[in-house]
Amino acid sequence: MTNNIKAYGASSAQANLEPMTIARRDLKATDVDIDILYCGVCHSDIHTARNDWKSTTYPVVPGHEIVGRVKAVGADVTKFKEGDLVGVGCLVDSCQTCPSCAQDLEQFCQNDKTYTYNSVDKHLGGQTYGGYSTSIVCSEAFVLKVPENIDPKGAAPLLCAGITTWSPLRHWNVKKGDKVGVVGLGGLGHMGVKFANALGAHVVMITTSPSKAADAEALGAHEVLISTDTEAMKAHANSFDFILNTIPVGHEMDPYLSLLGLDATMVLVGAIESMKPFHGGNLVLGRKRVAGSLIGGIKETQEMLDFCGEHNIVSDVETINITDINEAYERVLKNDVKYRFVIDMASLK
Amino acid sequence: MTNNIKAYGASSAQANLEPMTIARRDLKATDVDIDILYCGVCHSDIHTARNDWKSTTYPVVPGHEIVGRVKAVGADVTKFKEGDLVGVGCLVDSCQTCPSCAQDLEQFCQNDKTYTYNSVDKHLGGQTYGGYSTSIVCSEAFVLKVPENIDPKGAAPLLCAGITTWSPLRHWNVKKGDKVGVVGLGGLGHMGVKFANALGAHVVMITTSPSKAADAEALGAHEVLISTDTEAMKAHANSFDFILNTIPVGHEMDPYLSLLGLDATMVLVGAIESMKPFHGGNLVLGRKRVAGSLIGGIKETQEMLDFCGEHNIVSDVETINITDINEAYERVLKNDVKYRFVIDMASLK
């Protein structure tokens, strides 16, 4: 059985997003039915809506930075009750049995993980639809508790931009006193600055834009390094313990690799694209590393949200109505947002 | 004071190597004077002789895979005595005080490390001259003990090719049962196969050349994976714990990255060159890593030599006379050597 609900999505790669009706499954025993309050606008939404990755099935309803309130729970749900403030991120299911899932790394599930949108729907057939909609039904294992003391609008981007930056900072053990660079000041980068600061690191915003210096410092950066300033880059050579690279497109890594210290790591979280050539010597001399990181597991996402509750951390957002979504996409592509659009889903109801 | 000794080197980028006379310093209190028996021919020798890296000062005497016998020791030398079988690798000095040196990582000395050739000579001025010579004077801190039970010819390449492959296998903790790929079957790769096998790993030789299969297995590979065989590459996707990449030139990493398992690392040891573009998604999906590694520290080099003594491991070599060196260079460039040329230095005396 299904219920039809209101949503907003794209019917083809060329189309603007527009109102549509989609099916949601009836509540199963382990399901949580969530009334969506806010949904963040992630760059991946745009890539998917426009089929940039050649993997989109239409119609598609994007949205994987979902915050809402529990409307109803299935008979076997133990962790949530009606009225709870909750979130859903990029994943709504995984096999729960493979070695990755057994390590709480559902994002690397080796079998059939289910993304929140544009992924095979194991319950209804067809595909999953995301958070640009009035409600979502999700297995409780993939629902997160959102601390009641943080602004739910600012919490929405934590479900993707937040965990995407939190996970590598934790996995590579960034700690008090480390010198941490954050490259790129967008939806991901601004969360990276906030988290690295809260973890006690000495945070250096690395950017091409001197105009971003004041904003970066307001977000928690202790220094700003302009990557086009050759002398400044030289002064910081071989000195970083860790670099979080949030640039969302392919780019030259060499200038950033030269900043890493002995045995230090730069992690790519944004560039799911072809990178420009780099010089092997920039890894060999200093035993440096480049790694990738992908969102985070459910357990780690909950830890991040709890940390945000304790440290009162949310994303800086600009709230929009659902009818503003097409204009918002254009502005995201121009990097014209500080730092994340969040859709007030009351505007769809 | 200095002594003039016989050597073989290049007087310009275009020149063949030929006999020359060079100065060696008189023995200082902490120095060891070594009568050179054998010197391996490393690809770096060719790069330097031909100024491929634009950093050569002429005349240059290459050679940093040196095995010999102690002829004399300075008054304060404690670790060596006349007649000991010893080795000298890529380094003959470092500051010994910086954080890298304090960690026994002299190869990453942050001050003024001295390479065995083509490096500023702190004692005589001018530059250091390498092992294509009858003798070398070296501070005891940079002299290695070579186990008497292994063939000194085969031991010479351990000083560079050996430690270059040993160090990453140890640093990334390759252990019994790990699935380890070795890419490229040359001077470095054949040592990687031997070491990974001796460490208990399941060793897969990854090569473009089916003709190398039998040799790889004889060296200790348990499997051979032909990297141009799409189906075989798919069957091994996401399954390796570690890949040692010895390709000596810039290349496409994507096929090898696709072989790495979750959180696994590929280490570049040969390509001190511009790499071809790779896809960021190949690191992000699986939290994979690419790192570099450079030779090894003195302590680790001694550990490697001791391990070779215990496991009777040496390099497979083809012995040449010094007058064959120019032809040997041409053959190295055609990968026509199994697997390392070693100069019998008696031919120079």
Side-chain angles (χ1 to χ4, degrees):
Chain A
M1 292 285 290
T2 62
N3 299 292
N4 286 329
I5 62 164
K6 287 186 189 172
Y8 226 75
S11 53
S12 75
Q14 288 74 39
N16 272 341
L17 272 62
E18 55 186 23
M20 51 181 65
T21 300
I22 57 171
R24 287 293 189 201
R25 70 177 181 262
D26 279 348
L27 212 59
K28 293 176 190 288
T30 55
D31 279 346
V32 178
D33 188 0
I34 301 163
D35 189 18
I36 299 177
L37 297 173
Y38 297 102
C39 185
V41 176
C42 175
H43 211 124
S44 303
D45 298 354
I46 306 175
H47 284 306
T48 306
R50 300 185 173 189
N51 200 17
D52 291 339
W53 293 328
K54 309 298 175 206
S55 61
T56 304
T57 303
Y58 292 100
V60 68
V61 174
H64 57 205
E65 297 184 337
I66 299 167
V67 164
R69 291 222 178 253
V70 175
K71 190 159 60 177
V73 298
D76 296 341
V77 167
T78 59
K79 292 195 299 181
F80 301 98
K81 63 178 191 308
E82 193 184 330
D84 283 353
L85 190 65
V86 295
V88 175
C90 300
L91 292 169
V92 290
D93 210 351
S94 75
C95 82
Q96 311 250 36
T97 57
C98 74
S100 297
C101 286
Q103 290 177 69
D104 296 307
L105 297 169
E106 298 88 352
Q107 75 272 35
F108 299 121
C109 173
Q110 292 158 28
N111 297 312
D112 55 352
K113 63 177 170 285
T114 307
Y115 289 111
T116 303
Y117 60 80
N118 196 43
S119 201
V120 172
D121 187 326
K122 285 190 279 187
H123 300 280
L124 298 182
Q127 66 163 335
T128 54
Y129 295 115
Y132 294 5
S133 53
T134 51
S135 70
I136 188 167
V137 173
C138 180
S139 163
E140 76 167 324
F142 288 80
V143 178
L144 290 306
K145 288 178 200 286
V146 175
E148 287 282 351
N149 66 307
I150 59 176
D151 174 11
K153 289 191 296 297
L158 299 177
L159 279 302
C160 173
I163 186 61
T164 296
T165 50
W166 172 262
S167 181
L169 290 167
R170 295 292 288 162
H171 183 67
W172 277 271
N173 193 30
V174 165
K175 57 191 184 306
K176 193 170 164 57
D178 282 355
K179 182 172 175 180
V180 171
V182 177
V183 185
L185 186 57
L188 296 174
H190 95 290
M191 288 310 308
V193 169
K194 289 185 182 207
F195 285 141
N197 177 300
L199 289 166
H202 179 82
V203 183
V204 182
M205 180 74 229
I206 304 169
T207 174
T208 53
S209 315
S211 63
K212 290 185 177 171
D215 281 359
E217 284 165 6
L219 290 164
H222 303 97
E223 281 186 75
V224 175
L225 172 56
I226 306 303
S227 56
T228 51
D229 179 340
T230 313
E231 286 308 306
M233 289 291 278
K234 255 187 214 165
H236 283 272
N238 304 311
S239 70
F240 282 80
D241 295 298
F242 185 79
I243 294 178
L244 179 67
N245 180 331
T246 73
I247 299 175
V249 295
H251 59 276
E252 282 181 13
M253 300 196 302
D254 285 324
Y256 309 116
L257 296 178
S258 71
L259 298 175
L260 291 174
L262 181 64
D263 288 327
T265 300
M266 176 167 82
V267 171
L268 307 177
V269 293
I272 324 269
E273 301 200 0
S274 183
M275 301 293 290
K276 301 224 169 119
F278 72 96
H279 199 286
N282 282 331
L283 293 181
V284 168
L285 303 171
R287 202 163 56 183
K288 301 174 180 184
R289 309 165 187 209
V290 179
S293 184
L294 177 70
I295 49 175
I298 298 301
K299 184 181 171 192
E300 196 173 43
T301 305
Q302 188 61 61
E303 286 165 2
M304 179 269 304
L305 287 167
D306 294 346
F307 183 89
C308 288
E310 288 157 26
H311 293 79
N312 204 25
I313 292 173
V314 290
S315 179
D316 287 16
V317 301
E318 183 175 336
T319 308
I320 59 169
N321 288 331
I322 189 69
T323 48
D324 301 325
I325 189 67
N326 294 300
E327 185 193 339
Y329 276 17
E330 293 305 320
R331 287 182 54 199
V332 168
L333 294 173
K334 288 185 289 192
N335 207 17
D336 173 26
V337 53
K338 288 181 180 177
Y339 284 91
R340 204 67 151 180
F341 287 115
V342 169
I343 307 161
D344 180 349
M345 217 50 73
S347 63
L348 179 63
K349 288 171 187 171
Chain B
M1 291 287 289
T2 62
N3 299 292
N4 287 330
I5 62 164
K6 288 186 188 170
Y8 226 75
S11 53
S12 75
Q14 288 74 39
N16 273 341
L17 270 64
E18 55 186 21
M20 50 181 67
T21 300
I22 57 172
R24 287 292 189 201
R25 69 177 182 262
D26 279 347
L27 212 58
K28 293 176 189 287
T30 55
D31 278 346
V32 178
D33 188 0
I34 301 163
D35 189 18
I36 299 178
L37 298 172
Y38 298 101
C39 186
V41 177
C42 175
H43 209 124
S44 304
D45 297 353
I46 306 175
H47 284 306
T48 306
R50 301 187 173 189
N51 201 17
D52 292 338
W53 291 327
K54 309 296 175 207
S55 60
T56 304
T57 304
Y58 292 99
V60 67
V61 175
H64 57 206
E65 295 183 337
I66 298 167
V67 165
R69 291 223 177 254
V70 175
K71 192 159 56 178
V73 298
D76 297 341
V77 168
T78 59
K79 291 194 301 180
F80 302 98
K81 62 178 193 308
E82 191 184 331
D84 283 353
L85 191 64
V86 295
V88 175
C90 301
L91 293 169
V92 290
D93 210 351
S94 75
C95 81
Q96 311 249 38
T97 57
C98 73
S100 298
C101 287
Q103 291 176 70
D104 296 307
L105 297 170
E106 298 87 353
Q107 75 273 35
F108 301 120
C109 173
Q110 291 157 29
N111 297 314
D112 54 352
K113 63 178 169 286
T114 307
Y115 290 109
T116 303
Y117 60 80
N118 195 44
S119 202
V120 172
D121 187 323
K122 286 190 280 186
H123 301 277
L124 296 183
Q127 66 162 334
T128 55
Y129 295 115
Y132 295 5
S133 53
T134 52
S135 70
I136 188 167
V137 173
C138 181
S139 164
E140 76 167 325
F142 288 80
V143 178
L144 290 306
K145 287 178 198 287
V146 175
E148 287 282 352
N149 66 308
I150 59 176
D151 175 11
K153 288 192 296 298
L158 298 177
L159 279 302
C160 173
I163 187 61
T164 297
T165 50
W166 171 263
S167 181
L169 290 167
R170 295 292 288 161
H171 183 67
W172 277 271
N173 192 30
V174 165
K175 56 191 185 306
K176 193 170 163 60
D178 282 355
K179 182 171 175 181
V180 171
V182 178
V183 185
L185 187 56
L188 296 175
H190 94 290
M191 289 310 307
V193 169
K194 289 186 183 208
F195 285 141
N197 178 299
L199 289 167
H202 178 81
V203 183
V204 182
M205 180 72 230
I206 304 169
T207 173
T208 53
S209 315
S211 64
K212 290 186 176 171
D215 281 359
E217 283 165 7
L219 290 164
H222 302 96
E223 282 186 74
V224 175
L225 172 56
I226 306 303
S227 55
T228 52
D229 180 340
T230 314
E231 286 307 307
M233 290 291 277
K234 258 189 213 163
H236 283 272
N238 303 311
S239 70
F240 282 80
D241 295 298
F242 186 78
I243 294 177
L244 179 67
N245 180 332
T246 73
I247 299 174
V249 294
H251 58 276
E252 283 182 11
M253 300 196 303
D254 285 325
Y256 309 116
L257 296 179
S258 72
L259 298 174
L260 291 174
L262 179 65
D263 288 327
T265 300
M266 176 167 82
V267 171
L268 306 177
V269 293
I272 324 270
E273 301 200 359
S274 182
M275 301 293 290
K276 301 225 170 119
F278 72 97
H279 199 286
N282 282 332
L283 293 181
V284 168
L285 302 171
R287 202 161 57 183
K288 300 174 179 183
R289 308 165 188 210
V290 179
S293 185
L294 177 72
I295 48 175
I298 297 301
K299 183 180 171 193
E300 194 173 43
T301 305
Q302 190 60 59
E303 286 166 1
M304 179 270 303
L305 288 166
D306 295 345
F307 183 90
C308 288
E310 288 157 25
H311 293 79
N312 203 26
I313 292 173
V314 289
S315 180
D316 288 16
V317 300
E318 183 175 335
T319 308
I320 59 169
N321 288 332
I322 190 69
T323 49
D324 302 324
I325 189 67
N326 295 299
E327 186 192 341
Y329 276 16
E330 294 303 323
R331 287 183 54 200
V332 168
L333 294 174
K334 288 186 288 192
N335 207 16
D336 174 27
V337 52
K338 288 180 180 179
Y339 285 92
R340 204 66 150 181
F341 287 115
V342 169
I343 307 162
D344 180 349
M345 217 49 74
S347 62
L348 179 62
K349 289 171 188 170

